[in-house]
Amino acid sequence: MNSFPAAPAANPLGGSIQDYLTRPSPDLAEKARAFCAWYDARVAQGGFPYGKQLLATPGAETSVQHADGLVTHGINFASQDYLGLSTHPSIREAALDAMDRYGVHSGGSPTLAGGVSLCGPLCELIGEQLKMPYVMLSPTGWAAGYGLLRGLVRETDHVIIDQLAHNCLHEGAAASTRQVHVFRHLDVNHARLKLGAIRARDTRGGILVVTESLFSMDADSPDLAAFQKLCREFNATLVVDVAHDFGCTGPGGTGEIGRQQMLGQIDLVIGTFSKTFATNGGFVATHRREIREYLRHLSPSTTFSSAISPLQVAIAHAALRLVRSEEGAQRRLQLANAVATLREELASRDVELMGRPAPMVPVLIGRDDVARTAVRLLAEMGVVTNLIEYPAVSRATARFRLQVMSSHTSEMCREAAGKVARAILSAREVCSSATRAVAV
Ligand SMILES: Cc1ncc(COP(=O)(O)O)c(C=O)c1O
């Protein structure tokens, strides 16, 4: 069963992708060559859990093939489909209808003729759900986040951003202005210090304050009212990324914004369809028509990219209708129950959990070598999950991020919790005996 080598020779269980970002050489590919050697060693070791390929639908159980060929068939906590809508019959029907009506391809940018007539009703429904009347669609959530920042922020403006905000937001900030200020995770007082310092010397520049409603690596949330109030005080604009909670948590699926009673009160919201709405695609929502029209023409990842496809639009529309229905409420309840069971079962086995109950359950492991060994053992035991390691999270805080679906049963949660606990325990033993062997 356990094919993991006990004492790695060249230690591919150490190091990180970060080590290969820069490597001075006239040959631009030198860093890629060095990275590839490390990658190959990790794959050979069996400790490379990325780039898994699905052999079946990404449901609560699935089959995946790992980079070294290992096939795992079992309980799946590695896919993002929080309400399990990707296999819902009305989603399938909506996709087939859209295919019949519009074909499979958008055929161009939304700025030209790539948008289909169903985009309007989808935007209206998102607007109703968020109490924000103006909505723009993007081909992905990443494009929505990047495009909002790149579209709105200029060199003379500032971005104040949570240190753990998603890559699309940090990339958008870095591409838009050199005046990017990072505040400590969730820390509204630290953001206040940054805002105060900026406004003391610059009353003319725009300031965008950027955060998420639910951080998926940590399962925690900011105080949205406090951030919005701060922005009003300093004449700044707040943007909140609702990727991981919109639709799958909160009253009526309004997410953390609804849970914190801030519906319709946030300046700008970005979101994605890829976690709860069973398809690719994203959106920006605003209270101001002029912002939407401006972004439509000046948000590069939307303007200069092909529009979200007709199938994606139809699926997102059908999924949002389900989210707003009685069935959606039922699925949210099932999801919350599955999360509660999984957390209880893990905690009762002394597994260290992070954050609060949310659709993802982060399990802290710590050392990279232990985490890389554990994720492989878990795959061999028939549980599919994702390992998050540095630089996606800070050093020595490697973790599993178990993404829960409404279709995970209590039995699945119990079985998976037992295996997670066993995998981490065995991995600690394997790695400490390897460390002892090196010391001798
Ligand atoms: C917070 C956050 N924002 C944006 C995105 C990007 O969304 P998409 O996968 O639709 O491009 C993600 C996805 O990982 C995310 O977690």
Side-chain angles (χ1 to χ4, degrees):
M1 179 82 161
N2 173 7
S3 64
F4 210 94
N11 199 15
L13 293 176
S16 120
I17 197 167
Q18 191 78 5
D19 302 337
Y20 306 98
L21 279 188
T22 54
R23 231 153 241 248
S25 163
D27 177 5
L28 279 174
E30 169 54 24
K31 52 190 167 302
R33 192 202 54 74
F35 166 77
C36 216
W38 177 72
Y39 166 86
D40 288 344
R42 275 195 72 177
V43 170
Q45 187 83 17
F48 197 77
Y50 307 106
K52 301 182 281 289
Q53 291 198 336
L54 285 161
L55 304 173
T57 52
E61 287 182 311
T62 195
S63 295
V64 296
Q65 182 157 36
H66 291 75
D68 66 330
L70 175 80
V71 171
T72 300
H73 174 77
I75 307 170
N76 177 23
F77 283 103
S79 300
Q80 307 187 129
D81 187 14
Y82 294 133
L83 294 187
L85 295 181
S86 66
T87 49
H88 194 287
S90 36
I91 297 287
R92 193 184 142 79
E93 204 179 308
L96 291 174
D97 284 352
M99 193 161 68
D100 285 346
R101 174 153 188 209
Y102 303 107
V104 294
H105 178 39
S106 68
S109 152
T111 319
L112 300 174
V116 292
S117 58
L118 193 54
C119 290
L122 173 59
C123 289
E124 264 173 43
L125 209 56
I126 295 170
E128 251 180 56
Q129 181 78 352
L130 284 169
K131 295 201 184 333
M132 300 180 81
Y134 301 104
V135 174
M136 179 187 84
L137 301 177
S138 290
T140 65
W142 197 95
Y146 179 88
L148 168 63
L149 274 101
R150 192 70 191 89
L152 214 50
V153 175
R154 298 287 172 271
E155 198 50 68
T156 48
D157 300 323
H158 304 258
V159 176
I160 301 187
I161 184 166
D162 188 295
Q163 65 183 126
L164 301 187
H166 191 262
N167 168 276
C168 64
L169 304 167
H170 277 282
E171 291 285 343
S176 305
T177 176
R178 262 172 285 191
Q179 307 190 83
V180 178
H181 319 261
V182 176
F183 62 88
R184 284 189 295 271
H185 182 48
L186 307 182
D187 191 340
V188 73
N189 291 324
H190 197 209
R192 167 180 288 280
L193 285 178
K194 303 270 175 196
L195 271 160
I198 293 166
R199 277 293 177 239
R201 61 185 158 79
D202 181 2
T203 50
R204 292 165 63 90
I207 307 178
L208 195 64
V209 176
V210 182
T211 187
E212 295 180 20
S213 45
L214 175 60
F215 286 81
S216 74
M217 307 298 186
D218 298 74
D220 56 12
S221 299
D223 178 342
L224 294 173
F227 272 97
Q228 187 60 75
K229 189 159 167 270
L230 189 66
C231 288
R232 299 263 182 277
E233 195 182 325
F234 287 94
N235 195 17
T237 302
L238 180 65
V239 57
V240 177
D241 181 339
V242 298
H244 287 276
D245 53 294
F246 183 56
C248 61
T249 70
T254 52
E256 194 57 27
I257 293 182
R259 204 175 77 91
Q260 295 193 21
Q261 299 181 341
M262 286 297 289
L263 214 51
Q265 296 177 61
I266 305 292
D267 292 327
L268 289 165
V269 169
I270 73 140
T272 169
F273 303 134
S274 61
K275 324 291 178 194
T276 297
F277 299 89
T279 189
N280 293 12
F283 64 86
V284 176
T286 165
H287 299 278
R288 295 165 67 171
R289 182 174 162 266
E290 65 271 22
I291 289 188
R292 183 187 63 183
E293 299 314 328
Y294 189 75
L295 288 175
R296 270 185 175 165
H297 295 92
L298 285 156
S299 172
S301 48
T302 299
T303 313
F304 297 103
S305 190
S306 287
I308 176 172
S309 84
L311 299 196
Q312 292 168 250
V313 177
I315 291 170
H317 188 251
L320 183 48
R321 289 179 60 173
L322 278 168
V323 157
R324 289 159 64 86
S325 72
E326 194 42 49
E327 181 179 346
Q330 192 55 36
R331 284 177 180 252
R332 277 188 293 281
L333 193 63
Q334 286 167 358
L335 173 64
N337 289 340
V339 167
T341 308
L342 183 63
R343 289 186 76 102
E344 271 164 36
E345 294 287 340
L346 287 164
S348 72
R349 292 168 173 84
D350 293 331
V351 171
E352 191 171 345
L353 302 178
M354 301 175 72
R356 62 175 173 80
M360 69 299 298
V361 177
V363 169
L364 185 64
I365 300 173
R367 279 169 47 172
D368 283 340
D369 57 346
V370 175
R372 290 170 185 173
T373 305
V375 76
R376 175 60 168 202
L377 292 175
L378 201 52
E380 289 172 356
M381 290 176 189
V383 178
V384 188
T385 189
N386 289 324
L387 173 63
I388 317 286
E389 54 183 71
Y390 177 79
V393 291
S394 49
R395 281 188 196 277
T397 67
R399 66 201 68 170
F400 292 151
R401 182 179 63 178
L402 305 176
Q403 293 194 270
V404 188
M405 299 178 209
S406 56
S407 44
H408 281 119
T409 62
S410 304
E411 291 69 38
M412 287 174 182
C413 293
R414 200 164 303 122
E415 183 185 333
K419 290 180 173 175
V420 166
R422 278 211 303 286
I424 296 175
L425 206 65
S426 307
R428 288 201 201 288
E429 280 163 15
V430 168
C431 293
S432 56
S433 51
T435 312
R436 276 198 301 277
V438 170
V440 171

